[in-house]
Amino acid sequence: MTLTLTPYTPRQQWGLRSTDAALPPTALRQMATGETEETARIELAELADLQRLIPTATAEQACGEAQILHALMHAYGRHRSTLTGGPLGIRSLTPRPTELVVRIAPSQLPRWIDALAYRSEGPGVAGLRWAPHRDGIVLTLAGMTLSLEGIDETTWRQALAQRSADHASLMPHWIPVIVDEAERAASQETDLAGIADHLSATLRRIRLVDALARNGHVNLFTTRHLGSLHLIEACEGTPTVLPLWTSRSLPLALWPAGRIPAQGPADPHAAVLDIVTAVEPSVAAHDHAALALCHLAGNRPDPVLVQAAEHALAVAARILADPAHASLYDAGGWAGSCRTYPEGSVHGADPCIPPGAEEVTDLPDADLVRIGAHTLGGSPDDSRLLCAGQDELVHLLDWALAAATRPRTRPSWTCDDLLGARSTRPLPGRDGTLELTASGTGVYRVHLESLGLTDLAGEEDTVEWEREAAPSQAAAVLLAEHAAIEASVCLPFQREHRKQRLLLPAPVPAEPTIRTVLAGADYVLGFAAFASVLAQLGQRVDSAQGAADGHWQIDPTSPDDPNDYPRSLTAHVSDWFELSSPHPVEEANGAPVDSSAYLRHLAAHRTALDPFVTRYLAAADRLTGPHTFEERHLAGVAALRSTDLAALACQDLRPVRAPLRRLVRSIPQDPAHLAAWYEDHLTASS
């Protein structure tokens, strides 16, 4: 493991990415809340403890906020933040211990009412009441207060009246809670009790998802795993249970404080002994927690490293007993951060430096150099050895925290000295199996089997969610257990490798448009990217068939070959860019890209072509029979030149900037000029 501690100022900012390292407290808070600089500055002036830039909600306030967020996630589902004025329609918010002030986009008020209004059957927040206030509308639930700032009573009542056809109930404050509503409210509170603090902390930092939604979508939802509820973030199309502050490697100042679990703070000494003795009973000296931690972390049991492990365990015990770090227990425990060690394996994040890193490395330089010498080997450079010693202490602390925050609800394992550890269980909601394995060499694998999906028929009918190396077999078990939380919900996001088709296609409207397909797409092929390969595509494709002849076809000379091959220009482009492609038997395989049939295919697999690419390829593929690339290119160029490009740009929900419009207008007819044309575009853009 390579982990370099960089002494930012203040030192609580360890773990913050270098691009954010110099941000002042006001700017850090704005990243999470979306507040204006003035509002953030005023609120920070009221805080007694600047170690935490976002105040933690009281227990009753957190419970109500959790129910609000849960209802909003259910109502919004997967959505584009740019179309809703912010994630879940939230432009900004101001968190206080006993109140949450929320500013939503005006267009989202009806959607919020639909999401929050209580119904005897279906979603909503039971017991929620409203009252007018000088700054807006106040929503109350038991001991929670949420203020919708900037919404006057007239606007609110008009919005309520427009939603009355739904038989929804969002009552004013003077209406008492009715019996069945009270029962439903108690049920909702119980359902979310285990993650209420986590949901509240996430809502109070909701603008942190902006940087994670790089494909434009916000996707938050909850799922049950082994009886426990978890919050999943899938903004990039890859579900992860990592908390927002951990997945972004943010400084401790943006982490939430919370409440220690009801059973009391975890004991890292007992936890490390438990996991190592349970998984690897043949390993000697398990009666000593420091020796067990060395083994868990993949270290030799040298006296210097054992002493370092004892120090790390002592620091871990203090950290786990501190409510300021209660979020370590959330989201499947600290093993989630340890899963980021293989670079890019989880969310592309660097490992988040744990709370206590400053304390665990606060040893004399001579001790740090001695520890570093046992991990780095002989080196005349004391500065390198000192850094290596720091790294090793943080490494030990990481694994102590991971073992201690292992969820109480966990899979049962069968352990064997030869075969390793194995755990299987039925996959909830499907006729499949979730299998976890951890080899004696520390390699863990999490995969789903026997799924019976068409696109997996020739691929062993297995989806491998994660396969990585860990320092030991016990560590591999910890990481596999954490990865399994995400694996149980991965299928709607998983694609087969050859044609990039979703294993579970998304539902689509009967008559999709280019705009609606763009709105739901994980990946959009834009004209600039398309233009960058046109010259090379012309060299690769001598001749291509038209859409009516079939984009993809089984090789008639090899009937036993299950693979199909690209025939049309669209198919060659899809193959080049790894876009989802239709099977030969599907209606879309014989339809142009601007047809309803092909748009339904793209929508089902959450892929899109921008309007300019769509126009070019639709025209190029309308020529039936074999035609050269030059002939199809001429047809595509003619279509773009005869089209009102401004009207075409209106089909895109993303801004179409002037350089792109110039690129489209200037596309040459002669394929020999395509390379120089694109180079000129790059030069002008730079």
Side-chain angles (χ1 to χ4, degrees):
M1 183 199 80
T2 301
L3 178 63
T4 302
L5 296 180
T6 304
Y8 295 123
T9 303
R11 295 186 74 187
Q12 283 82 359
Q13 290 186 4
W14 277 0
L16 184 63
R17 292 198 175 103
S18 58
T19 53
D20 298 329
L23 291 178
T26 300
L28 281 173
R29 176 171 164 129
Q30 287 180 277
M31 287 168 52
T33 65
E35 295 167 299
T36 64
E37 183 178 357
E38 181 182 5
T39 300
R41 192 185 310 111
I42 292 172
E43 293 296 324
L44 287 177
E46 298 293 324
L47 289 181
D49 181 13
L50 278 178
Q51 295 295 320
R52 289 293 185 273
L53 301 180
I54 309 293
T56 300
T58 61
E60 289 184 328
Q61 181 72 22
C63 180
E65 290 177 11
Q67 294 182 60
I68 294 288
L69 177 58
H70 196 255
L72 290 171
M73 289 190 300
H74 184 276
Y76 273 81
R78 183 175 183 271
H79 62 283
R80 279 194 177 272
S81 183
T82 53
L83 301 181
T84 57
L88 306 171
I90 298 172
R91 295 161 61 185
S92 68
L93 47 77
T94 297
R96 297 166 185 153
T98 58
E99 179 188 22
L100 184 64
V101 179
V102 181
R103 304 165 194 91
I104 65 173
S107 64
Q108 299 303 299
L109 182 55
R111 201 164 178 178
W112 267 59
I113 290 174
D114 283 346
L116 302 181
Y118 166 71
R119 301 162 179 80
S120 57
E121 298 291 338
V125 180
L128 194 65
R129 294 293 184 264
W130 68 270
H133 188 267
R134 65 178 183 276
D135 295 325
I137 296 296
V138 173
L139 303 177
T140 56
L141 176 67
M144 181 216 73
T145 300
L146 187 147
S147 301
L148 293 176
E149 188 175 275
I151 299 174
D152 59 75
E153 185 176 1
T154 300
T155 302
W156 174 258
R157 287 186 178 276
Q158 288 174 347
L160 282 176
Q162 292 171 359
R163 317 314 292 174
S164 61
D166 297 335
H167 304 290
S169 173
L170 189 54
M171 299 293 188
H173 65 96
W174 45 266
I175 301 292
V177 177
I178 57 180
V179 175
D180 70 326
E181 193 181 11
E183 294 174 353
R184 178 76 179 281
S187 175
Q188 290 178 337
E189 182 176 339
T190 301
D191 288 344
L192 300 178
I195 61 167
D197 287 346
H198 185 48
L199 290 176
S200 169
T202 300
L203 177 59
R204 289 173 167 242
R205 295 158 177 79
I206 196 65
R207 298 301 311 211
L208 289 178
V209 305
D210 292 345
L212 300 178
R214 282 175 282 193
N215 67 5
H217 289 99
V218 172
N219 195 3
L220 302 172
F221 58 93
T222 55
T223 185
R224 288 202 176 273
H225 178 76
L226 298 178
S228 297
L229 197 63
H230 293 278
L231 175 64
I232 297 286
E233 178 264 302
C235 296
E236 288 191 287
T238 301
T240 173
V241 74
L242 291 177
L244 296 179
W245 40 94
T246 305
S247 66
R248 289 202 56 194
S249 300
L250 292 175
L252 292 179
L254 281 178
W255 287 32
R259 281 160 279 278
I260 297 297
Q263 63 269 21
D267 178 3
H269 299 78
V272 167
L273 282 171
D274 285 347
I275 181 67
V276 175
T277 54
V279 176
E280 302 181 75
S282 62
V283 177
H286 282 169
D287 58 336
H288 195 299
L291 282 170
L293 179 57
C294 282
H295 176 78
L296 180 69
N299 290 343
R300 303 184 308 274
D302 297 332
V304 170
L305 295 180
V306 172
Q307 188 176 8
E310 289 175 343
H311 174 57
L313 286 166
V315 172
R318 289 192 290 272
I319 292 300
L320 291 163
D322 187 348
H325 307 306
S327 63
L328 286 169
Y329 297 95
D330 292 332
W334 191 246
S337 182
C338 293
R339 284 175 57 220
T340 65
Y341 283 173
E343 187 174 352
S345 65
V346 179
H347 219 39
D350 297 324
C352 194
I353 295 178
E358 182 180 77
E359 183 180 351
V360 82
T361 56
D362 190 17
L363 295 177
D365 286 358
D367 291 342
L368 294 173
V369 167
R370 191 178 306 113
I371 295 170
H374 278 74
T375 58
L376 193 61
S379 172
D381 188 348
D382 279 1
S383 63
R384 287 188 63 205
L385 294 176
L386 187 145
C387 289
Q390 288 181 320
D391 289 352
E392 189 53 49
L393 285 165
V394 174
H395 181 63
L396 289 164
L397 177 61
D398 267 322
W399 287 107
L401 295 175
T405 56
R406 186 186 186 193
R408 296 170 67 86
T409 55
R410 62 187 68 140
S412 57
W413 290 83
T414 301
C415 298
D416 186 282
D417 288 342
L418 295 176
L419 302 177
R422 183 172 181 264
S423 175
T424 60
R425 68 182 183 89
L427 189 63
R430 293 200 63 84
D431 295 330
T433 301
L434 178 63
E435 181 169 303
L436 319 180
T437 59
S439 73
T441 58
V443 174
Y444 70 94
R445 181 175 183 240
V446 179
H447 52 110
L448 288 68
E449 290 190 333
S450 306
L451 299 172
L453 298 174
T454 304
D455 278 333
L456 289 178
E459 299 186 16
E460 300 180 353
D461 197 25
T462 299
V463 171
E464 184 175 83
W465 178 244
E466 193 166 314
R467 185 205 298 257
E468 294 291 350
S472 63
Q473 188 178 15
V477 165
L478 285 175
L479 302 191
E481 287 178 349
H482 193 276
I485 301 171
E486 300 163 356
S488 63
V489 297
C490 77
L491 272 182
F493 306 92
Q494 198 79 1
R495 298 179 183 271
E496 55 90 13
H497 297 299
R498 182 168 181 270
K499 298 182 76 173
Q500 297 299 311
R501 295 165 59 90
L502 286 173
L503 296 181
L504 297 179
V508 297
E511 294 296 330
T513 64
I514 293 175
R515 190 175 180 85
T516 59
V517 173
L518 284 165
D522 290 335
Y523 178 77
V524 178
L525 176 57
F527 190 83
F530 174 67
S532 70
V533 304
L534 269 179
Q536 301 170 66
L537 195 63
Q539 297 169 9
R540 175 189 289 190
V541 180
D542 295 327
S543 177
Q545 300 288 331
D549 306 307
H551 295 291
W552 293 77
Q553 185 183 55
I554 299 290
D555 187 352
T557 64
S558 303
D560 296 331
D561 186 352
N563 294 320
D564 50 9
Y565 298 92
R567 302 179 74 225
S568 70
L569 193 59
T570 291
H572 283 287
V573 169
S574 298
D575 190 44
W576 187 297
F577 285 101
E578 298 185 328
L579 306 178
S580 60
S581 302
H583 290 318
V585 297
E586 295 176 340
E587 181 185 7
N589 197 53
V593 293
D594 59 353
S595 66
S596 294
Y598 205 93
L599 290 174
R600 281 194 296 271
H601 156 72
L602 291 174
H605 296 284
R606 294 203 297 267
T607 305
L609 312 174
D610 85 1
F612 305 108
V613 176
T614 300
R615 186 77 178 107
Y616 176 99
L617 288 177
D621 282 345
R622 280 203 169 90
L623 299 174
T624 59
H627 283 270
T628 64
F629 173 80
E630 289 79 0
E631 291 170 325
R632 295 196 180 278
H633 174 69
L634 280 173
V637 171
L640 287 174
R641 291 188 173 182
S642 63
T643 300
D644 182 347
L645 296 183
L648 201 59
C650 291
Q651 297 182 25
D652 202 332
L653 48 81
R654 306 163 306 163
V656 179
R657 307 195 184 281
L660 179 61
R661 293 196 297 270
R662 287 195 297 270
L663 181 67
V664 176
R665 282 195 300 267
S666 63
I667 184 170
Q669 292 180 315
D670 188 346
H673 297 158
L674 285 171
W677 161 72
Y678 187 69
E679 286 295 328
D680 289 343
H681 163 69
L682 290 180
T683 303
S685 299
S686 60

